Amino acid sequence: MEPIAIKIDGEILDLQTAKEKNIDLDSAKKIYFENSKEALEVIRHSTAHLMAQAIKELYKDAKFFVGPVVEEGFYYDFKVDEKISEDDLKRIEKKMAEIAKRKLDIQRYEISKEEAIEKFKNDELKQEVLKHIPDDRVSIYKQGDFEDLCRGPHVPNTKYLKFFKLTKVAGAYLGGDESKEMLTRIYGIAFADKKALKDYITMIEEAKKRDHRKLGNELELFMFSEEVGGGLPIWLPKGARLRSKLESLLFKAHRKRGYEPVRGPEILKSDLWKKSGHYQNYKENMYFTTVEEQEYGIKPMNCLGHIMVYKSKKRSYKELPLKFFEYGVVHRHEKSGVLHGLLRVREFTQDDAHIFCMPNQIKDIVLEVLDFVDDIMKSFDFTYEMEISTKPQKSIGSDEIWEKATNALKEALTENGQQFGIDEGGGAFYGPKIDIKITDAIGRKWQCGTIQVDFNLPERFELSFINENNESEQPVMIHRAILGSFERFIGIMIEHFAGEFPFFIAPTQVIFIPIAKTHKDYANKLREKLLDMGVDSEIYDKNESLNKRVRIAEKQKVPLIAIIGDKEIEQKTLAIRDRREKIQYNIDEKNFIEKIKEKLSEVRF
């Protein structure tokens, strides 16, 4: 099998670039035409250019901005005079297939930036791209009559590009700047073989059925309102019940593990955000307000409130580790184009904790948090993986501190027998982190929790404790969220379970259907008993047929439906339909209550 690219010193280079740089292919890792992460990056980058070439042949006035590879495929931002809709995607795909069959060589050449400015002088989008290129020379990739500024990498020939699909059309501001013009963006996906593409399409179709926005509306869990503003969810009674159950279970789990509840304010003086480094490194993601001529920042994170709790009194090494947790409401400035149901919002609540400890306690604490993570993920039937994110370009603190913190995380994962990936440069600006990525029922990966080791904020805020030698020493601060945020985790849960929640978390756990009005009193008594147990139930007693009420209850995806008639009242029994186990049975009241207790105990954390 012939390679399509190589990887050398962590960088993927296409064969065109390797040839120009006289790189010996035998000295580098070869990337073959397959569905590996590296190969797909090359294939999808090239397919983006194939799409752009097809658009250019179909729409002669088309001008192109950028077309990067993203986690779920690729996209291209461009503009044309006429409106492009979802209906046009098939036509573009057909043209792409036609171009691929021409077996065009994909060539690379370099020119100076000044030459590029002159070459594309009539293309305002290319001029915008060139503004952001710091190098004196730029590379251009050409296939047939189409060429574009690009760093690559690309496959050698369009013949490799057979298995692709365009997935959606969207709008995107030029460079993500809302003050600039709106461009058209088309997303796509590509693979090395037909089966992988088919599996992906099947998964996408299943994902549409599970879309948490659709199910959230059907199950009456949450809503959004333009009157309120984008990215600001409103929790309806059923959704609030689900969320409350999750919060309550986690609260108990934290307390059992030695965490103390605390609460910080939602706005803090900007002087504090300057001291922490957020003002300099995270300001564009924050909201600010002024009170009596003093600027305040609305918190995007809960760290500073917890630091103030730590500083509220002198600390001894005997108190450490100190574990503070809070369901902290935070606000972040997200652009409207990236808002997506509960998965990307402007206001959310983190299951946030900060652990203050001695350096020699880091490993044990990380291992303890990993155990907590495992309990929670198993309770929701999630598999998960870990990734360590290292020092980003924009950061605070010395290389020595970063290395020390990163090694502590690696040692903990290694000792736990946990395999992990490395995301070079993906850390928070104040410290490295472990990212927890869960896999849902249809194979999608989601970023959720995080564990971050921070030597920087304790130094900036002069945190200290008295060690066993009666000397002042600086603690380490570990930032930790397991769900990430309640909003995002619930959105993921809705799609993972397709709205069929486990009994212990379901917003409505039982629906009672009395056959006649004379059966409602018994249903009410059972409802009150369940409420005393913390179990939510509803009674469907509308003047409709029994079958219709059962159908309506089924659509609500409630774990248990209990039908009550003369026989049930006489014998103190219930006729149960168990949705999750997909069985029907009769059960007496005493065993029904025991069954409920058993189902509540399914939670493992």
Side-chain angles (χ1 to χ4, degrees):
M1 188 188 295
E2 290 293 318
I4 57 168
I6 60 170
K7 190 169 186 178
I8 190 163
D9 297 329
E11 183 182 7
I12 298 174
L13 299 177
D14 52 39
L15 301 183
Q16 302 92 307
T17 305
K19 185 177 179 181
E20 284 179 21
K21 295 187 175 183
N22 295 315
I23 295 173
D24 179 11
L25 298 188
D26 292 332
S27 66
K29 176 190 173 184
K30 295 178 180 63
I31 297 172
Y32 296 97
F33 187 70
E34 58 190 6
N35 290 309
S36 67
K37 185 178 178 181
E38 292 95 342
L40 287 178
E41 183 176 336
V42 182
I43 292 165
R44 290 170 179 174
H45 204 146
S46 302
T47 310
H49 273 228
L50 182 69
M51 178 179 76
Q53 184 176 1
I55 291 168
K56 186 66 177 174
E57 290 191 12
L58 292 170
Y59 307 90
K60 304 299 181 187
D61 63 317
K63 291 181 179 179
F64 299 90
F65 184 50
V66 291
V69 173
V70 289
E71 191 169 342
E72 281 299 316
F74 61 86
Y75 69 79
Y76 230 115
D77 287 349
F78 61 97
K79 68 176 180 178
V80 288
D81 288 341
E82 61 185 280
K83 183 175 174 59
I84 292 180
S85 70
E86 303 280 337
D87 295 335
D88 297 306
L89 296 185
K90 287 287 183 190
R91 180 171 170 241
I92 297 169
E93 282 179 0
K94 186 177 177 182
K95 178 60 73 174
M96 289 169 67
E98 178 192 313
I99 294 168
K101 286 177 183 175
R102 295 176 199 166
K103 298 181 180 179
L104 302 171
D105 285 335
I106 298 176
Q107 302 164 326
R108 179 186 187 275
Y109 67 92
E110 288 187 7
I111 58 176
S112 69
K113 188 173 177 179
E114 288 76 13
E115 288 174 304
I117 291 170
E118 177 61 27
K119 179 180 177 67
F120 297 108
K121 63 183 178 183
N122 297 320
D123 189 329
E124 65 277 16
L125 295 188
K126 287 290 173 290
Q127 295 298 323
E128 193 70 29
V129 174
L130 286 163
K131 280 182 193 175
H132 295 91
I133 297 177
D135 304 323
D136 293 331
R137 294 186 67 76
V138 297
S139 56
I140 294 173
Y141 280 82
K142 176 179 171 65
Q143 54 198 54
D145 296 330
F146 178 80
E147 62 180 6
D148 200 0
L149 291 165
C150 189
R151 289 182 300 179
H154 289 282
V155 297
N157 189 287
T158 61
K159 69 182 181 182
Y160 290 96
L161 311 176
K162 298 177 184 177
F163 308 107
F164 52 80
K165 182 174 178 59
L166 303 185
T167 53
K168 67 175 178 177
V169 180
Y173 290 108
L174 177 61
D177 186 338
E178 293 178 16
S179 67
K180 294 185 177 177
E181 67 180 305
M182 178 74 78
L183 303 179
T184 299
R185 174 177 292 181
I186 294 181
Y187 288 90
I189 194 77
F191 293 93
D193 59 62
K194 188 174 184 178
K195 183 182 182 302
L197 178 61
K198 185 180 178 182
D199 289 347
Y200 179 83
I201 292 170
T202 300
M203 185 267 285
I204 288 297
E205 291 304 314
E206 181 61 28
K208 285 179 183 175
K209 296 176 195 171
R210 294 168 176 258
D211 190 319
H212 75 283
R213 295 166 298 181
K214 173 176 169 286
L215 289 172
N217 179 56
E218 290 173 1
L219 301 177
E220 299 177 353
L221 301 176
F222 62 88
M223 63 173 280
F224 289 89
S225 167
E226 283 302 317
E227 291 180 83
V228 172
L232 303 170
I234 298 167
W235 292 90
L236 302 176
K238 290 178 185 176
R241 292 204 298 261
L242 182 153
R243 179 176 171 146
S244 176
K245 292 180 203 299
L246 187 57
E247 290 177 350
S248 178
L249 287 167
L250 269 178
F251 190 94
K252 290 175 187 172
H254 277 90
R255 297 293 290 123
K256 282 194 291 186
R257 287 167 172 79
Y259 289 81
E260 291 288 350
V262 297
R263 196 181 190 293
E266 289 185 35
I267 64 170
L268 297 89
K269 287 182 178 180
S270 287
D271 291 345
L272 275 180
W273 297 114
K274 289 172 184 175
K275 189 171 184 178
S276 70
H278 286 84
Y279 202 88
Q280 300 86 329
N281 293 279
Y282 205 75
K283 186 178 181 181
E284 66 274 13
N285 300 106
M286 293 177 65
Y287 298 104
F288 293 89
T289 187
T290 301
V291 181
E292 296 177 348
E293 299 183 2
Q294 168 71 56
E295 186 182 50
Y296 285 75
I298 301 173
K299 69 176 178 180
M301 301 172 186
N302 302 293
C303 329
L304 303 196
H306 295 193
I307 285 172
M308 293 300 123
V309 174
Y310 183 90
K311 289 187 72 171
S312 65
K313 58 186 277 191
K314 284 187 176 181
R315 303 291 179 181
S316 161
Y317 75 97
K318 293 178 181 179
E319 296 176 76
L320 304 183
L322 266 176
K323 306 174 185 177
F324 299 139
F325 82 103
E326 173 182 5
Y327 296 158
V329 178
V330 298
H331 294 79
R332 295 183 187 175
H333 181 219
E334 300 283 6
K335 296 187 184 300
S336 58
V338 301
L339 298 176
H340 182 78
L342 294 178
L343 303 179
R344 196 75 176 263
V345 289
R346 288 176 174 148
E347 179 193 270
F348 55 95
T349 304
Q350 293 179 304
D351 64 317
D352 214 356
H354 292 91
I355 303 166
F356 298 87
C357 65
M358 295 183 283
N360 62 4
Q361 295 173 321
I362 293 174
K363 188 166 67 174
D364 287 341
I365 288 166
V366 172
L367 287 170
E368 183 185 301
V369 172
L370 292 176
D371 183 63
F372 198 175
V373 168
D374 194 60
D375 286 344
I376 289 175
M377 295 311 163
K378 282 179 178 172
S379 292
F380 294 106
D381 297 324
F382 284 119
T383 58
Y384 63 94
E385 57 192 47
M386 303 284 190
E387 187 173 74
I388 291 180
S389 299
T390 61
K391 185 179 182 182
Q393 285 188 337
K394 201 173 186 181
S395 63
I396 56 177
S398 68
D399 288 343
E400 183 184 354
I401 284 177
W402 273 85
E403 186 177 357
K404 186 177 179 183
T406 304
N407 287 338
L409 294 179
K410 287 179 178 177
E411 285 172 17
L413 287 179
T414 301
E415 184 166 316
N416 202 40
Q418 183 83 45
Q419 290 190 332
F420 58 90
I422 299 288
D423 177 15
E424 296 290 353
F429 71 86
Y430 49 78
K433 59 179 180 169
I434 296 173
D435 285 327
I436 301 156
K437 297 187 175 182
I438 64 179
T439 301
D440 70 11
I442 58 174
R444 296 170 300 176
K445 295 187 190 303
W446 303 89
Q447 165 66 50
C448 278
T450 185
I451 306 166
Q452 303 171 2
V453 177
D454 184 355
F455 289 87
N456 288 304
L457 289 181
E459 183 177 359
R460 284 176 172 246
F461 283 89
E462 300 174 340
L463 303 187
S464 65
F465 65 91
I466 302 301
N467 65 21
E468 57 190 344
N469 298 318
N470 207 31
E471 297 168 339
S472 181
E473 190 176 330
Q474 182 180 297
V476 179
M477 183 178 183
I478 296 176
H479 307 247
R480 188 243 67 190
I482 295 176
L483 304 186
S485 80
F486 287 99
E487 287 75 7
R488 182 173 171 78
F489 190 76
I490 289 171
I492 294 167
M493 267 207 313
I494 293 169
E495 301 201 2
H496 177 59
F497 292 114
E500 304 260 2
F501 300 106
F503 186 89
F504 66 83
I505 204 77
T508 304
Q509 289 143 309
V510 182
I511 286 179
F512 294 107
I513 304 182
I515 294 174
K517 288 183 179 179
T518 52
H519 309 133
K520 188 178 176 183
D521 284 346
Y522 185 43
N524 271 323
K525 287 176 184 175
L526 289 170
R527 184 173 182 269
E528 286 175 16
K529 279 188 179 182
L530 294 189
L531 199 56
D532 287 340
M533 296 167 63
V535 173
D536 286 296
S537 62
E538 296 178 25
I539 298 172
Y540 279 22
D541 62 339
K542 286 186 179 178
N543 188 23
E544 293 169 334
S545 71
L546 175 64
N547 285 341
K548 184 172 182 181
R549 283 181 285 155
V550 170
R551 284 198 304 273
I552 293 169
E554 289 277 356
K555 285 181 180 177
Q556 284 300 301
K557 301 179 184 288
V558 172
L560 296 179
I561 296 172
I563 297 171
I564 300 171
D566 289 338
K567 177 185 170 185
E568 284 74 29
I569 290 178
E570 183 183 331
Q571 299 177 357
K572 295 293 180 189
T573 61
L574 297 107
I576 300 293
R577 297 186 181 210
D578 190 317
R579 281 187 59 85
R580 285 184 67 80
E581 294 181 24
K582 303 194 184 321
I583 54 173
Q584 296 183 29
Y585 54 88
N586 288 344
I587 190 169
D588 63 48
E589 184 182 321
K590 181 182 177 184
N591 283 321
F592 174 67
I593 297 298
E594 288 304 311
K595 183 88 171 173
I596 295 294
K597 289 177 181 176
E598 183 184 313
K599 285 183 174 291
L600 287 174
S601 68
E602 289 173 1
V603 64
R604 303 181 194 180
F605 57 91

